[in-house]
Amino acid sequence: MGMKAEKRNRPLRFATHLWSAATITALVHSLVYADPQAASGEFPLAVLKAVTEDQSVQQKARYGARHPVETLEFFEVKPGMTVIEGLPGGGWYTRILAPYLGDDGTLIGAHHADEVWQYLRPIRDLEWEAERTERVRTWVERTAADFAASAGVTLLSYQLSKMPEELVETVDRVLLFRMMHNLQEVGDGYVEAAINEAYRALKPGGYAGVVQHRAPESSNDDWANGDAGYLKPSSLIAKFEAAGFELVGQSEINANPKDRPTESDVVWRLPPTLRTSKEGTPEREAMLAIGESDRMTLKFRKPKVGVSAFIDEAR
């Protein structure tokens, strides 16, 4: 806890580089925008169910905790859309999104900036940092080779706080699955930078969907700051609203009433990590009985008045 708090106080100054285009790659210039007709009409629930059924047994094992069909339906994600997935990591949702968005869709991975990795471990590990940086650099080709080659979806990538200007108001959905606490632990301004980028990327009327480990509103702010994995709904909502978003929906799709964390708990005590207990112990059995974390599911909308209109008004 103390080490992470110290990391957050380091002078990272992300806000001064919010809209730098210095890291634009050739991939961005090949952007294929979603067919506007894909956002209209009845929700293609049968298509989404077929995609989720055509997954591995290992992937399906977490459906009971992650509810991908219900979650993507709630966020109104449809084939052919342009979607940003924040911190895709091992690709659990990418495996579903890539084939679901399909030939006319674009999936964009938004990753930690290179300079961030040094703050995510108590002691500098240059080899680990280099490996993570390389994984970000090769995300498109690895994702295509691993599980998206046959999907036909266009894959793009950028680093948080360095979003290319070409993406401004071209995106239909920004999806942030269980990652907001990872932004919180980096440094002052990083969470706000990522949320502001999401706002700028979205088309007017587009949605940002958030799934996040939920802290009780009664908990201490110092504990519910992301270090333990949990954030308060009120705190997260306030950050999105400050960026200009409107909260248009809350769902209990990913709720787990068995998870009632105290201020001595961390989310990683629960499955699948089970960090704080040993196999075969009563403590491990208790964590397995709780299951995965209690999660808030929030849907924010960018108002129909977009960035260009605000610029015109300012003039």
Side-chain angles (χ1 to χ4, degrees):
M1 293 288 286
M3 290 182 178
K4 289 186 177 180
E6 290 175 7
K7 285 187 291 185
R8 229 183 0 267
N9 291 329
R10 293 174 180 176
L12 300 183
R13 300 188 180 89
F14 287 107
T16 62
H17 304 290
L18 262 180
W19 315 127
S20 169
T23 60
I24 297 176
T25 65
L27 287 168
V28 175
H29 296 292
S30 66
L31 181 62
V32 178
Y33 297 124
D35 179 351
Q37 296 302 315
S40 62
E42 187 176 346
F43 187 83
L45 187 58
V47 176
L48 179 55
K49 286 182 176 179
V51 168
T52 55
E53 279 301 310
D54 190 27
Q55 297 286 322
S56 68
V57 173
Q58 182 180 12
Q59 180 87 350
K60 291 179 181 179
R62 301 191 72 182
Y63 283 7
R66 295 192 170 185
H67 311 99
V69 171
E70 297 85 350
T71 300
L72 293 178
E73 183 181 20
F74 180 67
F75 294 148
E76 301 179 50
V77 180
K78 299 180 181 182
M81 284 186 166
T82 296
V83 174
I84 290 176
E85 182 184 2
L87 303 185
W92 193 91
Y93 253 107
T94 310
R95 287 177 171 85
I96 295 172
L97 288 168
Y100 177 58
L101 293 176
D103 293 353
D104 296 322
T106 299
L107 180 59
I108 306 168
H111 312 273
H112 276 316
D114 289 345
E115 59 268 30
V116 161
W117 299 108
Q118 64 183 301
Y119 300 110
L120 299 183
R121 287 194 166 185
I123 300 174
R124 289 291 301 271
D125 184 337
L126 297 181
E127 183 177 350
W128 180 82
E129 292 169 24
E131 177 187 345
R132 296 292 170 165
T133 299
E134 178 67 8
R135 286 183 63 80
V136 169
R137 189 186 69 80
T138 61
W139 181 82
V140 168
E141 58 194 82
R142 288 188 301 100
T143 300
D146 288 349
F147 46 81
S150 61
V153 69
T154 297
L155 294 170
L156 301 174
S157 182
Y158 74 92
Q159 295 181 20
L160 291 169
S161 77
K162 301 176 182 180
M163 187 187 81
E165 287 293 324
E166 282 87 342
L167 290 185
V168 172
E169 294 198 346
T170 67
V171 174
D172 298 292
R173 300 289 183 269
V174 175
L175 303 178
L176 308 171
F177 297 116
R178 304 171 310 283
M179 58 160 281
M180 298 307 296
H181 62 287
N182 296 126
L183 304 182
Q184 190 77 36
E185 70 176 328
V186 173
D188 293 332
Y190 196 55
V191 177
E192 290 77 8
I195 295 173
N196 285 333
E197 277 187 335
Y199 187 91
R200 283 175 55 85
L202 282 168
K203 300 171 183 176
Y207 294 142
V210 178
V211 178
Q212 176 59 41
H213 312 297
R214 176 165 48 190
E217 286 291 351
S218 59
S219 54
N220 186 287
D221 288 342
D222 290 338
W223 174 80
N225 65 359
D227 285 349
Y230 293 98
L231 295 171
K232 292 182 182 182
S234 60
S235 173
L236 204 50
I237 291 168
K239 284 181 168 60
F240 275 84
E241 290 182 338
F245 281 103
E246 302 169 339
L247 178 66
V248 294
Q250 301 186 60
S251 174
E252 293 300 296
I253 295 167
N254 296 297
N256 178 4
K258 294 181 181 178
D259 178 27
R260 289 294 176 261
T262 68
E263 292 174 15
S264 62
D265 290 326
V266 297
V267 74
W268 303 282
R269 78 195 191 284
L270 298 173
T273 311
L274 296 166
R275 183 183 298 174
T276 62
S277 59
K278 295 182 179 180
E279 189 172 353
T281 63
E283 291 79 11
R284 173 66 62 87
E285 293 303 313
M287 295 302 101
L288 290 170
I290 293 174
E292 294 196 27
S293 67
D294 177 50
R295 295 160 188 161
M296 63 182 109
T297 303
L298 308 174
K299 181 164 66 176
F300 298 93
R301 179 174 57 209
K302 177 176 180 173
K304 289 295 180 70
V305 177
V307 171
S308 57
F310 281 120
I311 293 174
D312 290 339
E313 290 175 3
R315 290 174 181 167

